[in-house]
Amino acid sequence: MSTHSRHIQLMDTTLRDGEQTQGVAFTPMEKVSIAKALLQFLRVDRIEVASARVSEGEKEAVSLINQWARQEGFAERVEVLGFVDHTRSVDWIKSTGGSVINLLAKGSEKHCREQLGKTLDQHSADVLQTIAYAHEQGLKINVYLEDWSNGYKDSRDYVYGLMERLQHTPISHFMLPDTLGVMSPDEVFASFSDMCQRYPTLQFDFHPHNDYGLATANVMAAVRAGVSAVHCTVNCLGERAGNASIAEVAVVLRDKMAMELSVDESHLVRISEMVENFSGKRVAANAPIVGADVFTQTAGIHADGDQKGGLYKTKLGPERFSRIRSYALGKMSGKASLKKNLEQLELDLSEEDQKKVLARIVSIGDSKQTITTDDLPFIIADVLESKSYQHIKLLACSINSGLDLPSTVSIRVDVKGEKHQTTGAGSGGFDAFIDAIGKVLQHYDYTLPTLADYEIRIPKGGHTSALTECVITWDCGNELRKTRGVHVNQVFAGILATIKLINIQLHEMANSPQA
Ligand SMILES: CC(C)C(=O)C(=O)O
């Protein structure tokens, strides 16, 4: 098959196979939100949203999605996995207002024999009967040949036999899964080339799994062999090691194969965040395109190269995905990393002061702590002994905690030069501190944002007396902000991270035009 540019459909199955990720279950409203984001903003071609007959909640979700999709003219782009169960899956899909069934047939002789206890003739008769009924009911029909990768390897005659029986029925897409994620790109290319040449008038989809970490490479091979659609999920969710990441597939097919796609890449990250929140499955910081760190340069030499004419630029620029490049501060930072951060904060420092600040950054980095751009003004203030960034200082803090007892805290703080002493109570030491500090801050018209996340880490191989690092993500309304605190006592690490956030926000309040 030629590698000439052609349109490749992306079928997103986050809401069906993605929900088969261990521990993931979306509520109906979450499913509706994800479906809308996928079709309306990301503009994928098709979405698979559920398996038929799973539950009442699933029925509600699918009905809501179909209702919305019909209004928006997307009805035929919403698909539901159905089973060879006479009329039951078809009736279920019809009752949700659905238009498309993705019928699950057996793609390997072994599955057909061992799981269904049927021969090829018996199984194809059942499949044909369900297809006829679905067609009569006005559904569009796609068919999965489950375990096709093994079927093609071990029982090719069975696969051809099934295809012969199905090829003249009203099936729109033959969806060939690598159900257990066992194929290599060479195997995908050879098998799909054969299928596409043998049945040149049929449309084939590839449904990959990532068990060997080869899902994206396998998608490339399938497209090279001639498939017209590939399946993927947001954040690579899916059974076991997942399917193929939609972000990876989109950029690889565009950049490496010059294929035409409908997806709007600028929405990839937002959808990834939405799915991360609803699924509770964190995206690895180094996940291509959507990971938190993938547009951060750490080595000073890279920051230097970027400053000298974009020497480290690639097609995968952050702007393409509505993200920005950042320059990490740590022991590997150089002058250019600091300069880039100063530019971002619109801060001007003499060469001499930059040297001092850089030396401090490197020494903080050496003690394994991480530094964010938000930390920089405070490091500068500390190194250059400027008072203008120290709006709040924790002078003393003692915490009393006991098993099954409320915690109490007593604090002394300096806010803008005024001293306060107060107490607080809560269900834990940190909660008690939040109670106490809240009492002080109400005098300054300031309310702490809510926590979006709270992580405690110790260095790998650490021991009970090791430093702990607390990273708090704050929901500041229009943005999420992270602050870090480091201390041997993990509650104090959280308290220091909180003081940092308060300092940043009091500083912004003091410098806002209304102040
Ligand atoms: C249920 C089927 C279609 C599947 O997801 C697979 O075979 O990978």
Side-chain angles (χ1 to χ4, degrees), residues 16-17 20 81 104 144 146-147 177-180 207 209:
R16 197 279 297 169
D17 211 336
Q20 288 174 217
L81 179 79
L104 188 70
Y144 274 114
E146 193 195 4
D147 199 36
D178 180 12
T179 298
L180 298 172
H207 178 94
H209 275 276

Side-chain angles (χ1 to χ4, degrees), residues 393-410:
K393 239 187 182 164
L394 187 61
L395 303 172
C397 176
S398 76
I399 299 174
N400 243 317
S401 290
L403 188 66
D404 294 335
L405 288 174
S407 297
T408 54
V409 73
S410 165

